[in-house]
Amino acid sequence: MKRLCAQLLAACLVMGLLVFPAGAATDEGTCGDNATWKFDDATNTLTISGTGTIVGFAYDSAQGYSKYRSEIFHIVIEEGITDVGDFAFANLFQLKSIQIADSVKTIGKFAFSDCFNVTELYLGNGLTSVGAAAFSTLESLQQVILPQGLQTLSAELFACSGLTSIAIPEGVTLIGNGALRGCRKMTSVTIPASVTQINYAAFRDCDSLTDIYYTGTQEQWEAISIDATIDGKGGSNDKLFTETIHYEHGHSFDGGSVTEKPTCTQSGKKIYACTSCPAAKMETLSKTSHTYDGGSVTTA
C-alpha cells in the first residue's frame, strides 16, 4: 500500500509538471517579413524590433505572441518598424503601456482596441496615419499627445476611452465619425484652425465637455462643416454648439520636463505642456554616448 501511494504521488507530481510547466524566461518569433517579437516574462514586456511592417496575429491564434495576451503588460515598438498592421495588438486586456518609435508611419485599424487597462500611450513623432478605432475602448487612458504629422482623426479613433482632455494638432483637417464618441470624462479639447470638417457623432456622449479651445477666429469656426444630426441616439455634436468656445487660442508651452532619460541604448522623452489648454508636444531625446570602463586584460 505504501508503495502504491508513493507511485501515485510521483505520478501526480509528474502530471503537475506536465500541466503547469515552468515558463521560459523569454520567447521570440517573427511578426512580419523583417520584424521579430520577443516576450520577457520577467518584465511582462513584448518588444518588437526589425524593419517594415508588423502583421500581428488574430486574437484567437495560438501562435506567436498572442499566446501571451493575458501576460503582456508593456509593448515597446523599436526604431526601424514602419507600420503596425490591423488588429495587431487588440484585446490585450492586461496591457498597461504602449511605446511606439518615431520610425512608425502608419497604424492599422483596431490595432490596439479593447486594451482596457492602458494608462500610458507614447506615439512616435513620425506617425502620419492611424486606422479606424485603433485606440478605441482604452478605458484607463487619460492623456495622449498626438504627433504633428496627422491629417485626420479617423472614425472611432478614441471612442469610449478614458481621456480627460485632448489637443488635436495643427494640420488635422477632418475629425471622423465618432472619433471621440463616448469620452465621458473629457472636459476640454483643443481644435486647430486647420480643421474644416467634423463628422457625425465625433463628440457624441462627451458628457463632461465644457471648454473648446480653438486656434482660429470665430469666423473660421463658423465656416467648419459640423454634422449636427439629431436622431434617436441624441445630438451628434451638440456640445460644440452649447459649450464655451475660446477663439484665437495661442499655445504657450512651458520649459518642458524629461519623462524618460536617454541612455546609450534607448532614446529619451521630454514633454512640453501648454499653460492654458490641453496641448502638449513631445521631443525625442537622442541616445547618449557609450561610457567604457578601464578595460581588462584577457588571455587566449
Side-chain angles (χ1 to χ4, degrees):
M1 181 61 72
K2 289 182 179 180
R3 178 176 294 180
L4 179 60
C5 289
Q7 290 174 338
L8 288 173
L9 179 59
C12 289
L13 289 172
V14 170
M15 289 302 293
L17 291 173
L18 292 175
V19 176
F20 305 108
T26 61
D27 193 7
E28 56 188 25
T30 60
C31 53
D33 290 341
N34 298 295
T36 60
W37 62 268
K38 178 181 288 186
F39 176 68
D40 183 345
D41 70 358
T43 60
N44 296 93
T45 299
L46 178 70
T47 302
I48 311 293
S49 56
T51 59
T53 301
I54 302 169
V55 295
F57 294 89
Y59 170 67
D60 58 354
S61 171
Q63 305 301 314
Y65 53 76
S66 180
K67 60 191 173 186
Y68 297 110
R69 61 179 176 266
S70 64
E71 302 172 54
I72 298 172
F73 292 177
H74 312 285
I75 288 177
V76 177
I77 299 177
E78 295 187 336
E79 201 69 27
I81 298 298
T82 56
D83 306 279
V84 178
D86 298 346
F87 297 93
F89 304 103
N91 301 292
L92 298 181
F93 302 133
Q94 302 302 321
L95 186 62
K96 301 181 188 333
S97 70
I98 302 165
Q99 184 168 303
I100 299 175
D102 290 345
S103 60
V104 174
K105 305 299 182 186
T106 67
I107 294 176
K109 62 185 179 182
F110 295 94
F112 295 92
S113 63
D114 296 329
C115 295
F116 307 123
N117 288 302
V118 169
T119 59
E120 297 179 19
L121 171 59
Y122 293 100
L123 299 175
N125 288 324
L127 193 61
T128 59
S129 176
V130 185
F135 300 105
S136 61
T137 327
L138 270 61
E139 297 176 348
S140 300
L141 181 67
Q142 295 186 10
Q143 300 289 335
V144 64
I145 299 175
L146 298 178
Q148 297 297 312
L150 287 181
Q151 295 185 335
T152 299
L153 257 62
S154 60
E156 301 286 314
L157 180 58
F158 287 103
C160 301
S161 74
L163 291 173
T164 58
S165 64
I166 190 168
I168 299 167
E170 191 69 40
V172 170
T173 58
L174 170 67
I175 302 176
N177 292 4
L180 295 162
R181 176 185 62 81
C183 294
R184 296 183 183 275
K185 298 178 182 179
M186 187 168 65
T187 60
S188 63
V189 60
T190 302
I191 298 177
S194 57
V195 169
T196 59
Q197 185 172 339
I198 300 176
N199 281 359
Y200 174 74
F203 290 89
R204 165 174 280 162
D205 299 327
C206 294
D207 302 335
S208 301
L209 184 60
T210 57
D211 291 277
I212 296 100
Y213 295 90
Y214 181 61
T215 63
T217 65
Q218 182 174 351
E219 184 179 13
Q220 287 175 295
W221 174 262
E222 292 171 352
I224 298 174
S225 175
I226 302 176
D227 189 297
T229 301
I230 298 177
D231 54 26
K233 297 179 181 179
S236 171
N237 291 301
D238 57 331
K239 286 285 188 175
L240 301 183
F241 299 97
T242 61
E243 304 307 319
T244 303
I245 312 292
H246 304 271
Y247 298 110
E248 300 184 69
H249 174 74
H251 298 309
S252 177
F253 291 102
D254 61 18
S257 59
V258 176
T259 58
E260 189 172 328
K261 292 182 178 181
T263 67
C264 58
T265 59
Q266 181 74 42
S267 58
K269 297 181 180 66
K270 188 174 184 179
I271 306 296
Y272 301 85
C274 179
T275 57
S276 56
C277 88
K281 59 183 180 180
M282 182 177 70
E283 177 186 0
T284 301
L285 303 177
S286 300
K287 297 177 184 178
T288 61
S289 301
H290 294 292
T291 302
Y292 294 98
D293 60 20
S296 59
V297 177
T298 60
T299 57

